[in-house]
Amino acid sequence: MAQTYTTYYLEMTSPDQLKAKPQRSDLQIVECEEPQPALNRFLYQLVGSTWEWGDLDDWSDEQWRAMVENEAHRTWVAYHRGAIAGYYELFRPDGRSTEIRYFGLAPQFLDRGFGGPLLSHAIQSAWQWPGTERVWVHTCTFDHPAALANYQARGMRVYQEEICELPGGN
């Protein structure tokens, strides 16, 4: 029997839908205003390795540079007591629909109450980007078990579900 997983696509169509979790005083979230492709690669691996993110593993330096230096791409890094606690990237190639492209916490910061405040910040940043009309994200059953619930608790709603088969399944 083939192994499957589910991908959930969620969206928010108005900033009024946000149910923000208050920011923590011990969490500093800073936009990386100077593009650094190596930093984004590091963050992607730091956060994504736990969840077997692999879609960018084969990317060249040039591909990373093209993404991170694109004016439609922005990155924020969250710090707790000087350590990288997590990050998120926003991507808005059409000038209207902002994707939370990557979002997550470093392994040692999981299950410590950082996810809700960081996601609230990500959604607020997306809405504060002039021209945003919609904020969306996707997650799947390979991500943190609380990921889908966190998106929904912040006010995002599922608009599509896909059941996918793992490559090499029988």
Side-chain angles (χ1 to χ4, degrees), residues 76-156:
W76 279 259
V77 182
Y79 297 91
H80 173 72
R81 300 179 61 198
I84 294 174
Y87 88 116
Y88 65 87
E89 297 179 15
L90 300 181
F91 187 58
R92 195 180 71 181
D94 66 0
R96 296 182 314 278
S97 189
T98 303
E99 176 186 9
I100 301 173
R101 185 173 174 138
Y102 291 101
F103 170 87
L105 298 171
Q108 67 266 42
F109 293 99
L110 295 170
D111 304 316
R112 290 177 55 183
F114 291 99
L118 183 58
L119 180 57
S120 296
H121 192 281
I123 294 168
Q124 288 166 338
S125 296
W127 284 117
Q128 290 167 0
W129 195 351
T132 295
E133 298 172 6
R134 172 180 175 255
V135 178
W136 72 280
V137 67
H138 74 275
T139 188
C140 75
T141 49
F142 287 125
D143 285 336
H144 188 283
L148 179 61
N150 190 18
Y151 293 125
Q152 292 175 314
R154 304 290 72 80
M156 301 190 90

Side-chain angles (χ1 to χ4, degrees), residues 30-36 74-75:
V30 181
E31 184 173 5
C32 183
E33 296 182 53
E34 291 288 331
Q36 290 185 304
R74 297 169 71 184
T75 303

Side-chain angles (χ1 to χ4, degrees), residues 7 13 16 27-28 45 68 80 82-83 86 100-101 109 113 121 142:
T7 299
T13 55
D16 299 335
L27 187 68
Q28 292 75 46
Q45 292 169 342
V68 174
H80 173 72
I100 301 173
R101 185 173 174 138
F109 293 99
H121 192 281
F142 287 125

